[in-house]
Amino acid sequence: MTPELLKHINTIMDELKIPYQFLEWKSDIKFPFWVGEYSEIETLDEDGRNEFTFILTGTTNNNYLELLETANIIKSRFTNHYAILENGSGIVIWVSNTIPIPTEVENLYRIQVNLTIKEWSIG
């Protein structure tokens, strides 16, 4: 995953005014917050395409519905999203699924939104 793609996702989360950080929450805890991570999917084609699953995990101490509302905002924004990044790569992003995550901790709720990302590099 290129730094430009990570910046693109960060910019969108900022535009949506969703508290977000990559890999781990490093600020003081203020609920709700979202953390992103990714895994690369092997591609066997030689067309310059890379594919990723980008995982957004939301956490709150309020209620599950608060996270579900934000997940729906994320889903709306990333429905068939495409862009050309600063490095010239083309991307397509869509929502694969949304999963509630049990925490086993009273008054702590989590939800996961999985995005599929395809990125084509030039050269």
Side-chain angles (χ1 to χ4, degrees), residues 10-46:
N10 189 63
T11 297
I12 291 173
M13 296 298 279
D14 283 348
E15 288 171 0
L16 295 173
K17 299 190 182 340
I18 296 173
Y20 163 80
Q21 292 183 12
F22 182 66
L23 285 183
E24 62 182 308
W25 192 261
K26 294 183 179 181
S27 302
D28 292 338
I29 298 294
K30 182 179 176 189
F31 294 107
F33 65 88
W34 290 75
V35 175
E37 60 186 284
Y38 71 91
S39 64
E40 192 166 348
I41 299 169
E42 180 181 14
T43 55
L44 301 175
D45 298 331
E46 296 178 8

Side-chain angles (χ1 to χ4, degrees), residues 48-71:
R49 174 178 51 97
N50 292 305
E51 188 170 337
F52 310 92
T53 298
F54 198 87
I55 302 163
L56 290 166
T57 304
T59 305
T60 191
N61 63 351
N62 188 8
N63 61 51
Y64 176 74
L65 291 177
E66 177 182 42
L67 293 175
L68 188 57
E69 288 171 357
T70 305

